[in-house]
Amino acid sequence: GVEGGAVHEDVQPTAGKLVVFKSDKLPHEVLETSAERLAVVGWFNRAVSPADIAALGGGDLLKKAPLLIASAALIGIGLSMLN
């Protein structure tokens, strides 16, 4: 819809819905709800370089493992909800 000259759209949090937008370009808000919901969110502030990818393999993998496992699990849950 249009409000005060700006275009906006209400997006209902229904199962299997994927919403992708540039959050730095699109003003947005998440409204409070009493229903259970799950969101997988990622921020990409710049292009990923080969050095960034190489840095993932360096250092102490035992320190990084929980984060990598949690990330993979959240992505898997999000993808499974698309079916």
Side-chain angles (χ1 to χ4, degrees):
V2 177
E3 184 176 305
V7 176
H8 78 273
E9 182 173 343
D10 291 331
V11 179
Q12 298 301 315
T14 56
K17 183 166 288 181
L18 174 65
V19 179
V20 179
F21 60 94
K22 292 185 174 186
S23 61
D24 62 333
K25 305 288 185 203
L26 181 69
H28 61 283
E29 67 179 332
V30 178
L31 301 176
E32 194 172 327
T33 182
S34 60
E36 183 177 329
R37 62 182 168 192
L38 172 71
V40 177
V41 180
W43 290 272
F44 301 96
N45 298 320
R46 59 183 172 74
V48 177
S49 71
D52 295 325
I53 295 169
L56 291 174
D60 188 354
L61 285 180
L62 289 178
K63 289 181 181 177
K64 295 180 183 180
L67 180 58
L68 293 173
I69 291 168
S71 298
L74 287 173
I75 291 169
I77 291 168
L79 291 174
S80 71
M81 293 178 71
L82 295 176
N83 292 330

